[in-house]
Amino acid sequence: SVKPQLLNRFKPWYPLLWTDGSIGAISTGGATDQELIDFYSKPGEQLAYKPVEKEELPSGSNGFAISGKKTASGNAILYINPHVTFYFRPEIQMQSREGLNAYGAVTWGQFFIYQGFNQYCGWMHTSSAVDVADLYEETIIKKKDQIFYRYNNQLKSVGRKPMTFRYLKNGKLETKSFMTYYTQHGPVMGERNGKWITLKANNRSLDGLIQSWLRTKTKGLEDYKKNMNYKSNTSNNTVFADNKGNIAYWHGNFIPKRNDSLDWSKAVDGSIAANEWRGLHSVNESIHLYNPANGWIQNCNSTPFTAAGNQSPKREAYPAYMAPDGENFRGINAVRVLEKPQKFTLDKVIDAGYDRYLSAFAVMLPGLIKSYDSHATDTAFNSLAEPIAVLKQWDYYSSETSVATTIAIDWAQRFMNQMQRALKDYDDPEQVAKTKRYIEKASANQLLDPLVSTIRDLKTKFGKWDIPWGEINRYQRLTGKVDEVFDDNKPSLPVGMAASTWGALPSFVSRPMPGTKKRYGFNGNSFICAVEFGTKVKAKSLLAGGVNRRVDSKHFGDQAEMYTKGIFKDVLFYKEDVVKNAERTYHPGE
C-alpha cells in the first residue's frame, strides 16, 4: 500500500551520491545558489527554483572519546551524538554469519553504519570545515563561437555539456535544455568581476564508498588507521575509541595539498599551474590525536586546537586550510564537562552529554545586563526591570521550569539575527570571539530593543511574559501525513533542552510553526549512543521519539519522554540478547 513519492526505479550508482566520501553538496568552495542561477538563466526567465532566505541558527554534532585513564572500569568509552533533523538517523544493526556485527546510525540510502560501533571499536563523525573544495577564477577569451580559458600561458577550450531536464507544468511533461560549461578544474558555477568561477571538488568517489563500508569491519586503532588511508572522507572529522583502550581523533581525511601562501578561502587564479592541487596529505600529515595524556577527546564541529585541552594539536604546526573551523559555545562546554576530575561510567558520560549549561549566555548576558543598568531610567525600557531581575539570578542552565531560559533564548535569537545581518560580509568562524566583540561594541538599543520585543511578544501570545521554558518548548511527533502540521491543541511533551547554538550539548532546535504560538522541536539530538569497549561491548542508546514510523506501532513514540529526560535504553548488541528480546522475527519473502 506504500507508493514512492519520487523515485520508482533505482539504479546501481545512486549510493555514490549519498556516502560520507562523496557528498559534494556541502563542499561548494563558497559558490552560491544565486551565482549559479544568474549565470545559467536568461534575464527575465521564469525559474523553477528560487533560494529561500532563512535566519538559520548554527547547529552541528558532538563526539566524545574517553580513555581508561578517566573511566571507572578502565575501558574506553565513546559518545555518539549527531545533531540532524529528527528521524533522519534511524538506529540499525547489521549482522552477518561472516562476522560483521555493526550497530549505529545510518542516513537514508546508506547501506553501512555511518556513526556507530562493532565489537572492536567505534567511530563518531562530526561535520568538518576542512577545505576540501576550491573555487578557481578563469580568464575567459571568446573568439567567434568558441570559448577559451587561459592556463599556463596557453589558451584551452572551455568544455561544453548540453543538459536537458524534464518537469511537470500544468499536468504536462515539458523539457528545458541548456548548455553547461567546465574547465579542467570543474564545472562553471558563476561569474565574479568578469571571471568565470569553477569548482574543484571530489565527487562520486568509489574509494569513499569502499572506505565507508570497510570501516564497519575494522578491528581497532591500527586497522582503523589503514582504513583512513583511503583518504576519501571529504566531509567528516572522526572521534574514535577501541577495546584496547585507545582513543583517537582525525580532523578531516581528504585534504588536498596546496600552495600555502594563498588564501584558499577565496577563489584563486586558475591560470597559474602552481595553484593546482598537489596530491593529498597523508593521514599522518593531517591534524590528529592518538591517546592524549589527559584521557579525553571532544569535537563539536569546532576547532581541533581545543580537542584535548592542553594536549590539543598546535595551530602553528598546520596549514590554515586544514582547520578553518572556529571555536563555538558547544566546544567550550564539552571541555568544561570532560576535564572534571571524575571517573566516567556509561551513565556519567550520558549525563555529561545531556549537560544543559548554555555557555553562550555567560558571554552574552553580562553585556545586556550592564547596558540595562546604565539605562534603567529610560522610559523605552520600563518593561524590562522584572525580566532583567530574573536573568540576573539565572545559572545559565536550561530546564522545563526556567523562566529565564524562555526570555534569554527569545532575546538571543533576535539579537543573533541582528548580529548575523550586521556581520554578513565579515567571515569569521570564531563564533565565541565574534560574539564577544559584537556584544562589547553594541549600543544600548541594539542590546535592549530585542528584549523589549521579546517581552511584548510573550505578553501578546500568552498574556504574560514569565512563562517556564517547558510550557512553550515542546516535542510533538507528526504521523507523516502530507497535510499534517504542528498543533498547539494536540498532545505534546515539555522539553527542557535548547538549541546547540547556545552551547547546549544535547541539542533541541525548536521554533514557532505556522499556526502555533508554542515552539516545536525539529532538529538536534537524533540517534544518541554511549558505548563502553571491554571484553564485551556495553552500550546504551536513545532515539527522538521511537524507531517505528507507523503511528499505530507502540514503538512510534515509546522513547519520546525518555528522549526529553535523557533516559537511555540498553542496546541489545549480541545475537543471543536480540533473540531473547525479539517481538517478532521473519525471513524476507515469507
Side-chain angles (χ1 to χ4, degrees):
S1 62
V2 177
K3 296 181 180 179
Q5 294 184 8
L6 180 63
L7 299 177
N8 291 287
R9 182 183 178 190
F10 293 84
K11 299 181 181 180
W13 56 269
Y14 285 1
L16 292 173
L17 294 173
W18 200 248
T19 76
D20 61 305
S22 57
I23 299 176
I26 64 172
S27 305
T28 57
T32 68
D33 292 345
Q34 194 59 53
E35 286 178 314
L36 193 68
I37 290 169
D38 290 344
F39 186 84
Y40 283 107
S41 62
K42 299 175 183 177
E45 190 172 29
Q46 184 178 359
L47 301 177
Y49 166 77
K50 294 181 181 179
V52 178
E53 293 185 6
K54 294 181 179 179
E55 300 280 6
E56 292 290 357
L57 296 174
S59 187
S61 301
N62 306 330
F64 306 158
I66 304 168
S67 77
K69 293 181 178 180
K70 290 272 289 182
T71 64
S73 65
N75 299 322
I77 295 177
L78 180 69
Y79 188 70
I80 299 168
N81 184 202
H83 297 165
V84 293
T85 307
F86 292 168
Y87 327 119
F88 188 58
R89 290 281 156 82
E91 184 173 9
I92 300 292
Q93 183 168 20
M94 299 178 68
Q95 191 174 115
S96 77
R97 294 176 182 176
E98 295 186 358
L100 175 67
N101 190 6
Y103 194 105
V106 298
T107 300
W108 299 340
Q110 291 174 335
F111 54 84
F112 51 85
I113 299 297
Y114 177 48
Q115 293 156 318
F117 61 96
N118 58 31
Q119 61 266 51
Y120 307 105
C121 60
W123 52 93
M124 168 58 200
H125 296 311
T126 60
S127 294
S128 178
V130 172
D131 188 350
V132 298
D134 291 312
L135 295 183
Y136 284 85
E137 296 177 337
E138 309 287 10
T139 302
I140 298 301
I141 309 296
K142 296 182 179 180
K143 295 183 177 181
K144 296 183 179 180
D145 60 345
Q146 291 184 299
I147 305 175
F148 302 90
Y149 66 100
R150 193 176 300 280
Y151 184 76
N152 206 22
N153 295 320
Q154 295 179 336
L155 292 183
K156 303 185 73 172
S157 295
V158 172
R160 302 186 185 206
K161 183 179 181 180
M163 299 186 73
T164 299
F165 289 88
R166 295 187 298 167
Y167 63 98
L168 204 61
K169 183 177 181 180
N170 299 325
K172 294 183 179 180
L173 201 60
E174 299 192 7
T175 60
K176 169 72 177 178
S177 298
F178 57 96
M179 188 67 67
T180 64
Y181 302 94
Y182 61 93
T183 71
Q184 67 189 56
H185 297 123
V188 177
M189 304 296 286
E191 184 173 1
R192 295 179 188 172
N193 302 318
K195 301 286 184 74
W196 285 13
I197 303 298
T198 54
L199 172 67
K200 186 174 181 66
N202 184 41
N203 195 17
R204 301 190 188 186
S205 164
L206 180 59
D207 277 349
L209 194 65
I210 294 170
Q211 182 174 358
S212 299
W213 172 248
L214 293 182
R215 179 191 303 128
T216 65
K217 300 183 177 185
T218 51
K219 296 184 178 181
L221 179 58
E222 294 307 314
D223 204 16
Y224 202 91
K225 286 181 185 178
K226 293 177 183 178
N227 182 264
M228 292 292 285
N229 283 329
Y230 277 97
K231 296 183 291 189
S232 292
N233 189 331
T234 60
S235 60
N236 293 319
N237 308 315
T238 304
V239 182
F240 172 91
D242 73 11
N243 63 357
K244 297 179 180 64
N246 296 303
I247 61 173
Y249 175 73
W250 295 271
H251 197 72
N253 182 234
F254 173 92
I255 310 173
K257 292 182 180 180
R258 305 167 172 93
N259 179 350
D260 195 24
S261 66
L262 299 178
D263 182 358
W264 290 90
S265 67
K266 298 179 172 61
V268 300
D269 190 345
S271 68
I272 302 174
N275 292 349
E276 297 292 344
W277 289 357
R278 305 167 184 178
L280 299 177
H281 283 282
S282 69
V283 175
N284 286 335
E285 290 173 338
S286 69
I287 301 173
H288 62 274
L289 275 167
Y290 301 143
N291 296 317
N294 62 308
W296 57 264
I297 294 170
Q298 65 80 26
N299 184 260
C300 299
N301 311 110
S302 47
T303 173
F305 305 124
T306 58
N310 60 12
Q311 301 295 309
S312 302
K314 305 303 179 186
R315 186 185 301 270
E316 58 272 15
Y318 300 95
Y321 58 74
M322 275 192 178
D325 324 65
E327 185 61 283
N328 61 36
F329 292 109
R330 274 182 296 127
I332 288 177
N333 204 13
V335 170
R336 183 184 68 86
V337 300
L338 291 175
E339 67 182 3
K340 291 179 180 179
Q342 66 169 312
K343 290 292 187 179
F344 283 99
T345 63
L346 274 183
D347 289 335
K348 286 182 179 179
V349 169
I350 289 168
D351 289 343
Y354 254 72
D355 187 276
R356 297 180 183 179
Y357 182 73
L358 306 185
S359 53
F361 291 106
V363 171
M364 299 177 72
L365 283 189
L368 172 71
I369 291 170
K370 180 180 178 181
S371 185
Y372 173 78
D373 287 343
S374 300
H375 297 80
T377 59
D378 291 7
T379 56
F381 308 131
N382 284 344
S383 63
L384 300 185
E386 290 182 280
I388 288 288
V390 170
L391 293 175
K392 285 182 176 180
Q393 298 299 314
W394 190 33
D395 61 2
Y396 305 139
Y397 280 86
S398 68
S399 72
E400 293 176 19
T401 59
S402 171
V403 172
T405 305
T406 300
I407 301 169
I409 288 178
D410 194 283
W411 166 77
Q413 284 192 230
R414 297 169 191 267
F415 180 80
M416 186 71 77
N417 289 340
Q418 167 188 292
M419 183 180 80
Q420 288 173 338
R421 288 193 296 271
L423 302 178
K424 65 180 179 180
D425 296 324
Y426 180 58
D427 186 18
D428 185 354
E430 294 286 345
Q431 182 190 4
V432 177
K434 179 169 60 177
T435 303
K436 284 180 179 178
R437 286 196 300 270
Y438 190 75
I439 288 278
E440 289 169 357
K441 295 179 180 179
S443 67
N445 286 100
Q446 288 174 319
L447 287 163
L448 295 171
D449 284 350
L451 186 57
V452 171
S453 298
T454 287
I455 300 305
R456 182 189 64 239
D457 288 356
L458 287 172
K459 288 180 178 178
T460 299
K461 282 184 178 181
F462 305 104
K464 59 180 182 178
W465 60 268
D466 52 341
I467 303 169
W469 180 235
E471 286 190 20
I472 63 170
N473 191 51
R474 314 291 291 185
Y475 173 87
Q476 184 178 87
R477 185 168 189 180
L478 305 185
T479 63
K481 295 179 180 177
V482 175
D483 57 348
E484 189 178 24
V485 295
F486 289 97
D487 190 337
D488 287 341
N489 296 313
K490 291 183 178 181
S492 61
L493 294 172
V495 181
M497 297 184 289
S500 61
T501 308
W502 317 121
L505 294 176
S507 182
F508 186 83
V509 183
S510 64
R511 64 173 176 232
M513 299 296 178
T516 75
K517 294 180 179 180
K518 298 178 181 179
R519 308 166 61 104
Y520 292 92
F522 63 95
N523 183 291
N525 276 14
S526 49
F527 167 78
I528 323 127
C529 189
V531 194
E532 180 178 329
F533 296 96
T535 305
K536 294 193 71 175
V537 169
K538 297 178 182 177
K540 293 186 176 184
S541 70
L542 189 58
L543 279 178
V547 72
N548 201 306
R549 294 172 183 269
R550 295 180 66 96
V551 69
D552 56 352
S553 167
K554 70 178 183 180
H555 300 299
F556 176 77
D558 59 342
Q559 296 180 59
E561 188 168 4
M562 296 163 62
Y563 173 83
T564 67
K565 307 292 185 185
I567 301 171
F568 284 48
K569 65 185 184 296
D570 290 331
V571 167
L572 305 176
F573 180 69
Y574 294 98
K575 186 171 183 178
E576 58 267 26
D577 296 322
V578 174
V579 172
K580 184 168 62 177
N581 289 274
E583 294 180 5
R584 67 184 180 94
T585 61
Y586 80 103
H587 289 88
E590 292 183 359

